Amino acid sequence: MTEPPGGPSPASRRALEVASIPSLRRVNDFLGNSTYSRRQYQPGICDFTLGNPHQMPQDAYVQALQSAVTPRDDQWFAYKTNQADAREAATDSLSRLLDVPFEAEDLYLTTGGFTALALALKAVADPGDEVIYSLPPWFLYEPLVVEAGLVPVKVRVNAETFDLDLDAIAAAITPRTRVVIINTPNNPTGRIYPPELLQSLAELLDEASARNGRRIYLVSDEPYNRIVFDGARFHSPVEFYPYTLLAYSYGKTHLAPGERIGYLALPPTMPDRRALGLAIGALQVAMGWIYPNGVLQYALPRLERFTIDVHQLQRKRDRLVRELGAMGYRLRPSEGSFYLFVHCPIPDDEAFTEALSQEDVFVLPGALFETPGFFRISLTASEDMVEGSLPHFRAAMERAGQNRPTD
């Protein structure tokens, strides 16, 4: 790595390596130096960028936090680790969702799903180990992997179905492979991986682990596992592969990403999970006391009783799929998550999204997800934003058609 002008940087090599990741630089540029960054708070815009709320939070959410902030004793705001009531509520809910008998002592509370992922990687992988994940990814996998001293290995999903490409994953595995990350329901594609695919993945990882003489772990990133459409039954990799670490975030369940609480859970089928748990517990302290704050932990038993209105998200999905499809956009209905991943009508997705932004319609270009030729729509936009955007999407498609070369 070349030194910056003016002499050596005071930053560490690791920090410089993270800062130089193209996907992270693109995200930072979009958030800090773009038309969106300058206009995101102006009234009347149609904001389909991030999974942020665009309507007032549910009364039940506000009331749960209001109750939790009222102290019951002099230790109410003392240091907190994995509070028993919060752990048990989360474990009971997860066990019902997946029909897997998780145990409370195998669930580790974290400051959001982001930290749960970092915790999982550092718990099972050593510097220099390889981590496989699929493109398009959540755009912060690579920074997490690199910050942990690990090596990202990227494969593409099936471009038509958005399913994992198991042949590509198998071909990417080497003796240095330690972790495979999957995300279901997927951000940005909205795909829920079917049980037969997860079973095949489990068999693939078992065979590769035996061949390498070293266990490959699966990290399942599941912040949207309660946000599924059309009455679908969600299946987690923990149902098929015992060496799975499950990362979860309540920021999606309640559309409150600024209130940081999540967890990392080990299934009861994982061999030696208690030994791994001792390492995870030590890392929770060593990574900077990454337990959620006390108020969120007190509120968690109440927060587990409800989610955001998934039916409202589905109505917005249906409206956009129907209307954009009629305009000529190519897209698959998402099966879960907050998102639609749409084929861009012109090759340059960044130019297309910039043109939309000039009309105050903001979406994320596929380039942010290392997948040019697409753009992502967040269904957390309000219904007014959905309706207000439609004429602009139509006009953008018409312009794209006018600019296409003729035979």
Side-chain angles (χ1 to χ4, degrees):
M1 182 178 295
T2 59
E3 298 290 356
S9 168
S12 69
R13 292 178 182 174
R14 179 77 55 81
L16 290 173
E17 186 177 3
V18 172
S20 67
I21 293 171
S23 61
L24 182 58
R25 295 177 69 176
R26 284 178 181 272
V27 171
N28 286 337
D29 283 346
F30 181 83
L31 295 177
N33 186 32
S34 66
T35 304
Y36 174 72
S37 68
R38 295 187 292 272
R39 299 166 72 172
Q40 61 181 307
Y41 298 115
Q42 293 183 1
I45 70 166
C46 300
D47 187 350
F48 297 95
T49 56
L50 306 176
N52 275 327
H54 291 287
Q55 58 192 50
M56 294 300 290
Q58 293 173 288
D59 289 342
Y61 188 83
V62 176
Q63 290 163 7
L65 267 59
Q66 286 175 332
S67 175
V69 81
T70 303
R72 315 290 199 270
D73 55 54
D74 63 353
Q75 296 300 298
W76 199 250
F77 300 124
Y79 284 109
K80 304 300 175 188
T81 57
N82 296 297
Q83 291 292 102
D85 288 350
R87 246 181 168 180
E88 290 168 7
T91 301
D92 290 347
S93 175
L94 184 61
S95 298
R96 289 193 303 272
L97 177 72
L98 301 180
D99 196 23
V100 174
F102 286 87
E103 298 182 18
E105 60 189 313
D106 297 323
L107 187 143
Y108 304 87
L109 297 164
T110 59
T111 48
F114 202 133
T115 311
L117 292 169
L119 182 61
L121 292 174
K122 293 183 178 183
V124 299
D126 291 309
D129 285 344
E130 293 175 347
V131 178
I132 297 173
Y133 59 87
S134 294
L135 307 182
W138 178 53
F139 39 61
L140 294 178
Y141 285 148
E142 187 169 3
L144 283 173
V145 170
V146 172
E147 190 280 327
L150 309 174
V151 180
V153 178
K154 306 170 188 180
V155 300
R156 291 212 169 268
V157 299
N158 183 303
E160 295 304 317
T161 65
F162 293 146
D163 272 334
L164 299 172
D165 186 334
L166 297 185
D167 290 339
I169 292 173
I173 291 174
T174 76
R176 294 171 60 195
T177 302
R178 186 60 163 173
V179 172
V180 174
I181 301 175
I182 71 167
N183 172 213
T184 179
N186 185 264
N187 170 13
T189 68
R191 178 65 167 150
I192 297 176
Y193 300 133
E196 57 271 16
L197 183 67
L198 297 177
Q199 180 62 54
S200 296
L201 175 64
E203 294 168 2
L204 184 162
L205 296 180
D206 262 334
E207 292 168 3
S209 297
R211 185 171 63 250
N212 288 347
R214 186 179 188 225
R215 176 55 56 183
I216 298 173
Y217 285 89
L218 198 156
V219 173
S220 185
D221 183 16
E222 301 183 14
Y224 304 98
N225 64 17
R226 277 110 166 139
I227 303 172
V228 299
F229 304 135
D230 304 310
R233 161 77 161 86
F234 171 77
H235 289 278
S236 168
V238 301
E239 301 171 51
F240 306 93
Y241 190 64
Y243 298 92
T244 299
L245 297 87
L246 188 159
Y248 180 70
S249 169
Y250 290 91
K252 313 302 182 184
T253 306
H254 298 108
L255 194 48
E259 298 300 314
R260 308 296 298 162
I261 184 166
Y263 58 72
L264 182 68
L266 308 182
T269 51
M270 179 182 283
D272 300 324
R273 69 186 187 282
R274 297 290 156 74
L276 180 57
L278 290 174
I280 291 172
L283 284 169
Q284 285 182 290
V285 176
M287 289 171 65
W289 203 267
I290 60 170
Y291 310 99
N293 72 51
V295 169
L296 286 170
Q297 293 201 49
Y298 297 139
L300 191 56
R302 289 181 62 170
L303 297 179
E304 276 287 9
R305 299 174 192 168
F306 62 93
T307 68
I308 57 171
D309 187 345
V310 176
H311 294 296
Q312 183 189 51
L313 285 174
Q314 183 172 319
R315 289 195 301 271
K316 289 186 283 188
R317 180 207 65 170
D318 292 345
R319 176 72 168 152
L320 283 164
V321 168
R322 183 173 61 252
E323 294 296 329
L324 295 183
M327 295 173 197
Y329 289 93
R330 292 174 52 214
L331 71 165
R332 294 173 59 91
S334 56
E335 298 164 315
S337 81
F338 290 162
Y339 308 111
L340 292 170
F341 205 49
V342 186
H343 287 267
C344 190
I346 63 173
D348 190 340
D349 53 284
E350 291 183 289
F352 181 79
T353 57
E354 176 59 25
L356 276 177
S357 74
Q358 297 301 319
E359 301 183 44
D360 286 339
V361 176
F362 297 96
V363 300
L364 291 186
L368 288 184
F369 304 91
E370 300 180 65
T371 307
F374 288 82
F375 62 92
R376 193 192 76 173
I377 289 174
S378 174
L379 300 173
T380 62
S382 69
E383 291 178 335
D384 286 345
M385 290 177 180
V386 170
E387 296 304 318
S389 71
L390 296 178
H392 301 290
F393 279 119
R394 183 176 295 106
M397 176 58 80
E398 291 171 354
R399 287 195 300 270
Q402 293 167 359
N403 292 331
R404 288 194 189 101
T406 57
D407 294 333

